[in-house]
Amino acid sequence: MDIDCIPFKETGYFSKLICDYLDQHEDLRPFFNRYPKLENFAGQIQEKQASFPKNHRKVLVDALQKQYQDTIISEATSEHITRLADSKTFTVVTGHQLNLFTGPLYFLYKIVSTINLAQKLKEAYPEYHFVPVYWMATEDHDFDEINYFNLHGKKIQWNKKAKGAVGRLSTDGLDQVFDTFAAEIGQFGQSEVLKKLFQQAYLQHNTLAEATRFLANVLFGEQGLVIVDGDDAQLKKLLVPYAKKDIFEQIPFTKVSESIAELSKISSDYTIQVNPREINYFYLKDNLRERIVEKQGKYHVINTHIDFTPEALEEELESHPERFSPNVVARPLYQEVILPNLCYIGGGGELAYWLELKSYFEALGVPYPMLMLRNSALVITEKQSQKVEKLGLKISHLFLKQHSLINKKIRDISNIDIDFSPQKKLLEEQFKHLYELAEQTDESFLGAVKAQEVKQKKGLDALEKRLLKAQKRKLKDHVVRLTELQNELFPNKSLQERQWNFSEFYLEMGDSFIPILFETLDPFCEKFIILKH
């Protein structure tokens, strides 16, 4: 397996905010704690160790043992759960939605990055223990975002009317999805392994949360991955004091709004990922997850007839914390309250909204974790690699927008010089003399010279475009081969990892695929990885 890398900023797929964060831009310093370098974890360990309550560890271990009671787990996972009771044990976390059959390929990259980070930390700090954690987003209610996966360019979809938290959804109807999946992968290669995995996960478990836990445990249990379901009354009880600060004092709304304003001042190109609400909690029951809003002195659950006085809502929160579900702003805090966590590993969009949250954590006295961009990779076959060479390209060229890639290649291979820069330079020289002449007459002549220059430059631009278009027609075969290759590697003009499912590679590479990821994905790499197999 050959490995190549290119800087994230050269891919064109990562925001300015994330690229500036990776460059440790000085203006962003107030928005993160410690940058995730290996040596910086020492300070993070000390900070978390000093602040994390011992009783939270006991609650966490008890909750996890209960969550895992019907799951066969590896010795490594069992040991990790037990070790969480020890004050010298810490977590590194990634989170992800409950996408059907893992959804996009980067689900694997996230977890592999997290497990590899835990192992590297153990090597660097042997006196401590580090547990890789996958936080299942069981309380999300965006069913349309998770009810499918792509395979061979087709959408394998679970058609179901769904309401409420997706983790609680019944797996009824997934037998039909299995039939579609089985027909698509046929009888070749590793298809039987994948069919069995799908059946065991989704046809032998009652809820989507149970199915996802089983699947992630089969794929990563041997490496000691611990899977956390936040939809848990024991764990939610630890969140109650912080939920009160949110609902009744609106501290997150104030602090995050201020951070967003400060980030916007640094650069207008920074895209704000999430906006806080006055109340960042949903009311949660079976088939119900709706926002809580304050209206005329009472607290109302939208799209329902449920209302609370302030006193009644506080009583409900104390008695039934499991009925309060944090949104995207409050969930990170929940994670850090219940876990002895050091670092969150996520994609660019996730880190963008985490960078809005530091002042809110500080106001509530919760240590802010280190933020690490997950590994990203493009997997390319030997045959595709040979095509790249034959076309005289570098892999990095394929990250260009398709029209830019085609234009660049046509200019490179054309036997006609399509670059009219010399003509434009000559034109500017000619007009320089005209401007000198115009300065000796009146302003009206100067305006006429400027207008003529603009007109002639536009004419040259138009001729250059027409020539390029003509050469594209002449070199049509080359253009077709180029676009076909890019479309193979960047399906739907997007990153492969955001479109393909892991089964695409498992069918071809079998059990070797995930071990290859463990060998090649380095969480400290900070570059986009190209894997050639």
Side-chain angles (χ1 to χ4, degrees):
M1 176 70 70
D2 292 329
I3 303 172
D4 199 359
C5 298
I6 62 173
F8 280 110
K9 65 172 59 176
E10 292 182 13
T11 68
Y13 285 94
F14 292 82
S15 70
K16 175 174 170 54
L17 176 58
I18 293 306
C19 291
D20 284 353
Y21 174 67
L22 292 175
D23 289 339
Q24 300 175 62
H25 200 293
E26 191 59 33
D27 286 344
L28 288 177
R29 278 296 321 158
F31 301 94
F32 62 93
N33 192 359
R34 296 174 180 86
Y35 192 76
K37 293 181 179 179
L38 194 57
E39 62 269 24
N40 290 346
F41 277 87
Q44 195 74 22
I45 289 169
Q46 297 305 316
E47 183 181 4
K48 194 69 179 184
Q49 191 173 42
S51 66
F52 195 72
K54 188 175 181 180
N55 71 299
H56 284 209
R57 290 183 178 275
K58 185 180 186 310
V59 172
L60 175 63
V61 171
D62 288 347
L64 286 171
Q65 288 174 339
K66 186 177 179 181
Q67 290 183 15
Y68 270 97
Q69 64 186 359
D70 296 322
T71 305
I72 298 172
I73 60 175
S74 68
E75 185 178 334
T77 295
S78 178
E79 182 183 343
H80 277 161
I81 292 172
T82 303
R83 281 195 181 278
L84 284 168
D86 182 354
S87 63
K88 287 193 170 185
T89 300
F90 301 91
T91 62
V92 288
V93 179
T94 193
H96 197 69
Q97 295 172 296
L98 273 60
N99 295 73
L100 191 61
F101 211 46
T102 77
L105 190 57
Y106 67 78
F107 172 83
L108 271 68
Y109 298 168
K110 275 185 167 183
I111 294 180
V112 170
S113 297
T114 305
I115 292 170
N116 280 351
L117 175 59
Q119 292 174 348
K120 286 181 178 292
L121 289 175
K122 182 61 179 175
E123 293 169 7
Y125 302 95
E127 67 273 30
Y128 297 102
H129 305 289
F130 304 93
V131 176
V133 169
Y134 159 44
W135 183 291
M136 292 195 296
T138 54
E139 296 179 52
D140 280 5
H141 59 255
D142 296 320
F143 181 67
D144 290 343
E145 290 185 6
I146 60 109
N147 68 344
Y148 69 95
F149 61 98
N150 297 315
L151 179 62
H152 300 154
K154 299 177 183 177
K155 194 173 187 177
I156 311 293
Q157 188 165 352
W158 182 17
N159 295 309
K160 177 187 181 82
K161 289 185 178 179
K163 293 192 301 181
V166 295
R168 300 184 181 189
L169 291 178
S170 165
T171 52
D172 290 347
L174 280 168
D175 52 340
Q176 298 172 13
V177 178
F178 171 74
D179 291 341
T180 303
F181 175 54
E184 179 60 35
I185 62 176
Q187 306 294 324
F188 60 87
Q190 300 292 325
S191 61
E192 294 305 315
V193 176
L194 290 172
K195 288 178 194 174
K196 183 179 179 181
L197 185 58
F198 190 101
Q199 284 179 310
Q200 289 178 325
Y202 295 100
L203 307 188
Q204 296 176 21
H205 291 87
N206 296 322
T207 67
L208 189 57
E210 291 172 6
T212 304
R213 179 185 295 279
F214 175 86
L215 182 60
N217 185 60
V218 168
L219 294 175
F220 299 106
E222 288 303 312
Q223 288 78 28
L225 181 70
V226 172
I227 302 159
V228 175
D229 183 353
D231 188 4
D232 184 292
Q234 286 178 270
L235 298 177
K236 288 274 182 76
K237 196 161 186 63
L238 300 178
L239 185 63
V240 170
Y242 304 93
K244 287 181 181 179
K245 294 282 188 183
D246 186 308
I247 295 169
F248 300 114
E249 298 180 39
Q250 300 184 353
I251 289 175
F253 175 72
T254 301
K255 291 297 182 180
V256 177
S257 297
E258 289 172 357
S259 293
I260 288 172
E262 291 302 314
L263 280 166
S264 299
K265 288 179 186 176
I266 297 171
S267 174
S268 59
D269 293 326
Y270 287 175
T271 302
I272 300 307
Q273 201 68 22
V274 297
N275 285 290
R277 296 188 181 275
E278 286 84 352
I279 296 173
N280 294 287
Y281 283 83
F282 294 86
Y283 193 67
L284 178 67
K285 285 188 173 181
D286 287 340
N287 301 314
L288 172 70
R289 188 180 187 246
E290 294 287 357
R291 285 197 299 116
I292 302 168
V293 296
E294 185 180 4
K295 293 176 70 175
Q296 299 177 340
K298 288 190 175 182
Y299 292 88
H300 174 66
V301 180
I302 64 171
N303 298 319
T304 74
H305 298 292
I306 302 171
D307 288 296
F308 295 96
T309 64
E311 297 77 16
L313 186 65
E314 187 168 3
E315 171 60 30
E316 182 81 350
L317 184 56
E318 291 282 0
S319 303
H320 297 285
E322 72 279 4
R323 294 179 183 172
F324 292 79
S325 176
N327 72 358
V328 67
V329 168
R331 191 214 65 79
L333 183 88
Y334 179 28
Q335 168 191 300
E336 297 304 309
V337 165
I338 68 169
L339 295 175
N341 191 46
L342 305 175
C343 181
Y344 184 77
I345 298 180
E350 290 175 287
L351 264 55
Y353 74 71
W354 271 90
L355 287 168
E356 301 173 16
L357 307 180
K358 183 168 177 275
S359 63
Y360 148 46
F361 275 61
E362 290 172 343
L364 295 179
V366 177
Y368 190 67
M370 300 165 87
L371 303 177
M372 177 175 278
L373 185 65
R374 67 168 172 82
N375 287 125
S376 283
L378 173 68
V379 183
I380 181 169
T381 66
E382 182 63 33
K383 186 176 179 181
Q384 289 168 332
S385 187
Q386 289 172 358
K387 287 181 181 178
V388 173
E389 290 182 18
K390 286 181 180 177
L391 287 167
L393 295 170
K394 295 179 180 178
I395 294 290
S396 58
H397 292 155
L398 293 170
F399 284 83
L400 292 169
K401 299 297 182 187
Q402 195 159 92
H403 70 277
S404 299
L405 174 64
I406 292 169
N407 289 351
K408 173 184 169 28
K409 195 57 195 170
I410 293 301
R411 290 177 190 275
D412 288 347
I413 64 174
S414 177
N415 57 1
I416 299 172
D417 189 359
I418 304 175
D419 184 3
F420 280 14
S421 296
Q423 287 84 355
K424 291 174 186 175
K425 188 174 181 180
L426 181 62
L427 188 67
E428 288 172 358
E429 287 291 330
Q430 291 173 337
F431 272 91
K432 183 180 177 182
H433 297 299
L434 284 173
Y435 282 124
E436 290 173 356
L437 180 62
E439 286 173 358
Q440 299 173 30
T441 60
D442 60 39
E443 289 186 7
S444 63
F445 184 63
L446 183 63
V449 171
K450 285 182 179 179
Q452 192 60 225
E453 182 185 22
V454 169
K455 181 179 179 181
Q456 292 195 31
K457 280 185 174 178
K458 283 184 177 179
L460 280 176
D461 285 340
L463 286 173
E464 187 176 18
K465 288 176 182 177
R466 289 192 65 174
L467 182 57
L468 181 61
K469 193 173 181 180
Q471 285 300 92
K472 283 181 185 178
R473 287 195 297 269
K474 183 178 179 181
L475 301 169
K476 184 179 178 182
D477 178 62
H478 206 97
V479 171
V480 168
R481 285 187 288 134
L482 187 62
T483 54
E484 284 179 350
L485 176 60
Q486 191 183 46
N487 290 341
E488 282 178 26
L489 294 172
F490 294 81
N492 295 326
K493 295 181 171 57
S494 179
L495 290 177
Q496 180 191 79
E497 63 183 33
R498 298 177 187 173
Q499 297 292 319
W500 285 11
N501 181 259
F502 84 100
S503 57
E504 198 103 29
F505 290 110
Y506 197 94
L507 283 169
E508 181 183 347
M509 301 167 68
D511 290 340
S512 67
F513 179 54
I514 291 178
I516 285 171
L517 296 182
F518 277 114
E519 291 171 14
T520 54
L521 298 186
D522 178 358
F524 292 104
C525 173
E526 294 193 342
K527 289 187 178 182
F528 196 103
I529 299 169
I530 315 296
L531 301 180
K532 302 174 186 176
H533 74 96

